[in-house]
Amino acid sequence: EHAGIDPTTVTLVEGHGTGTPVGDAIELTALKNVLGEGAARESNPQRERVAVGSIKSQIGHLKSVAGCAGMMKVILALKHKTIPRSINVKEPPKMKDGATIQETAIFVNTKMRPWFTPPGMPRRAGVSSFGFGGANYHCVLEEYEPEHDGS
């Protein structure tokens, strides 16, 4: 809401994703509630439309610069128009309400794939980082597409 965008237009989220069963279940449930339930689900009922991942699966936890590493990953994903894969995820945790990730609009992307969006909709991604002492940081990144003047 603060970013001024419709949650159904976000197709990638770089989560904090520490790999802890409780923390990941809470984060995935929050993402499900914002990106795939209520008004978001009514306006776009398609399943598996929001890829979620965490740079920590590739490089570990970087403590105070973990959010920066996640942001760099998303910037590169936007530049290359690809959804990066997450490794070392065999079975994502269940949501806090007991639902499985397969029952939601989010999915853990386990292979590199092209990042397609509907015509006229830019690629958009969210980045979350939860810091020491309870500080929570979230941002939305969008690809830059230069205007075409027809020449």
Side-chain angles (χ1 to χ4, degrees):
E1 187 175 303
H2 285 97
I5 61 158
D6 181 342
T8 62
T9 65
V10 174
T11 50
L12 172 65
V13 173
E14 176 65 15
H16 186 66
T18 58
T20 62
V22 173
D24 286 355
I26 290 170
E27 185 173 17
L28 289 171
T29 300
L31 291 171
K32 173 192 77 126
N33 291 342
V34 171
L35 301 171
E37 297 299 325
R41 186 172 185 181
E42 291 166 16
S43 65
N44 188 349
Q46 177 185 358
R47 292 295 190 200
E48 289 199 353
R49 61 177 173 75
V50 183
V52 295
S54 174
I55 190 73
K56 291 172 191 70
S57 73
Q58 280 90 0
I59 62 174
H61 199 313
L62 296 178
K63 308 274 189 239
S64 61
V65 294
C68 182
M71 184 178 286
M72 292 301 297
K73 177 182 169 188
V74 169
I75 289 169
L76 289 169
L78 287 167
K79 176 182 178 179
H80 297 291
K81 299 177 180 0
T82 58
I83 296 178
R85 72 185 190 120
S86 289
I87 60 173
N88 300 322
V89 180
K90 291 181 178 51
E91 186 67 34
K94 289 191 174 190
M95 307 293 140
K96 292 302 289 177
D97 63 4
T100 64
I101 198 166
Q102 292 85 358
E103 298 173 89
T104 72
I106 60 178
F107 68 99
V108 177
N109 188 55
T110 57
K111 63 181 180 177
M112 181 82 76
R113 64 180 74 202
W115 189 353
F116 297 112
T117 57
M121 188 175 86
R123 290 166 184 82
R124 287 192 179 125
V127 180
S128 294
S129 179
F130 306 122
F132 296 113
N136 298 325
Y137 300 94
H138 308 277
C139 70
V140 177
L141 300 173
E142 178 179 295
E143 73 178 326
Y144 169 74
E145 287 290 332
E147 291 188 32
H148 301 283
D149 62 5
S151 54

